[in-house]
Amino acid sequence: MAGLARGSARALLAALLASTLLALLVSPARGRGGRDHGDWDEASLLPPLPPREDAARVARFVTHVSDWGALATISTLEAVRGRPFADVLSLSDGPAGAGSGVPYFYLSPLQLSVSNLQENPYATLTMTLAQTNFCKKHGFDPQSPLCAHIILSGAVTKVNETEMDIAKHSLFIRHPEMKTWPSSHNWFFAKLNITNIWVLDYFGGPKIVTPEEYYNVTVQ
């Protein structure tokens, strides 16, 4: 009887653990990259996509709602020296609803991408609405141009003293975990100085936006 009871208890425990694990696997994450964009309160929806005819405004929109992007640099690693090297980096252009359009980063010399940038500061950054609920909600594949994404090219530089507080506030309010990252990693604030912009939000190829057009957008 005791053996039977133990067997039943183990079976019950296994069933409970299985149901819990299943719930964790199938439930979409809330916050960054999940069902709702992490920088607007949970009850609110992602702001509507601007008209596709206004490519500059679409570019600013994608930058602002993005919490991360893929940054491509030129590798300094001996095994792949001179080849493209991409990595995912957290970023922010400002507090929710008050974006500047400037992609700010919190970087460490220990990162491979930073080693690349120290030798060649030129880089290309891609951000996509696939990290929000927009594309899943409308059934758009991340590679589809309807799942709007943008490509920004330029040079990554450290921010100067006058811009330090802006970069810090922009990043820490969107990525509060950064405040706890070990100081021994010598973190510093940086930004992408944008020289070229491409917007893919519909069929027919990318739309070219100038930095002037991009920064002249009034964010609402």
Side-chain angles (χ1 to χ4, degrees):
M1 291 294 291
L4 180 60
R6 284 194 297 271
S8 298
R10 283 196 295 268
L12 178 60
L13 179 61
L16 290 173
L17 289 174
S19 62
T20 302
L21 179 60
L22 180 62
L24 289 172
L25 290 173
V26 302
S27 297
R30 290 194 175 272
R32 293 168 176 80
R35 179 181 297 160
D36 298 306
H37 189 67
D39 301 303
W40 281 266
D41 60 65
E42 194 170 299
S44 66
L45 299 175
L46 188 73
L49 182 70
R52 297 183 186 276
E53 296 77 19
D54 193 344
R57 191 172 298 278
V58 171
R60 284 289 299 272
F61 177 86
V62 175
T63 297
H64 185 51
V65 302
S66 293
D67 284 320
W68 54 267
L71 187 76
T73 57
I74 301 300
S75 179
T76 57
L77 293 170
E78 286 304 320
V80 289
R81 175 172 284 276
R83 300 180 191 176
F85 186 93
D87 196 7
V88 171
L89 297 179
S90 296
L91 56 86
S92 171
D93 82 327
S100 66
V102 179
Y104 290 110
F105 309 99
Y106 197 39
L107 303 177
S108 164
L110 299 180
Q111 293 173 282
L112 291 174
S113 292
V114 174
S115 297
N116 299 339
L117 292 168
Q118 288 172 342
E119 186 168 305
N120 184 342
Y122 292 103
T124 298
L125 174 68
T126 298
M127 292 170 283
T128 170
L129 291 188
Q131 65 183 280
T132 72
N133 65 352
F134 177 82
C135 300
K136 286 186 177 180
K137 177 182 177 181
H138 293 282
F140 299 149
D141 187 87
Q143 190 171 322
S144 168
L146 297 177
C147 183
H149 66 280
I150 63 174
I151 302 168
L152 310 180
S153 190
V156 177
T157 60
K158 288 185 178 180
V159 301
N160 57 35
E161 290 297 325
T162 59
E163 201 173 358
M164 186 79 68
D165 288 342
I166 297 173
K168 182 178 181 179
H169 180 65
S170 298
L171 284 159
F172 285 9
I173 198 170
R174 301 270 293 263
H175 303 278
E177 180 189 323
M178 288 179 172
K179 300 174 186 177
T180 67
W181 290 357
S183 59
S184 59
H185 289 198
N186 297 316
W187 299 98
F188 62 92
F189 297 100
K191 66 178 181 179
L192 179 67
N193 292 306
I194 303 169
T195 57
N196 301 86
I197 303 166
W198 297 267
V199 177
L200 291 101
D201 63 350
Y202 201 69
F203 304 104
K207 303 167 186 174
I208 296 176
V209 174
T210 67
E212 291 75 20
E213 292 168 336
Y214 176 83
Y215 284 115
N216 282 338
V217 168
T218 301
V219 177
Q220 297 178 346

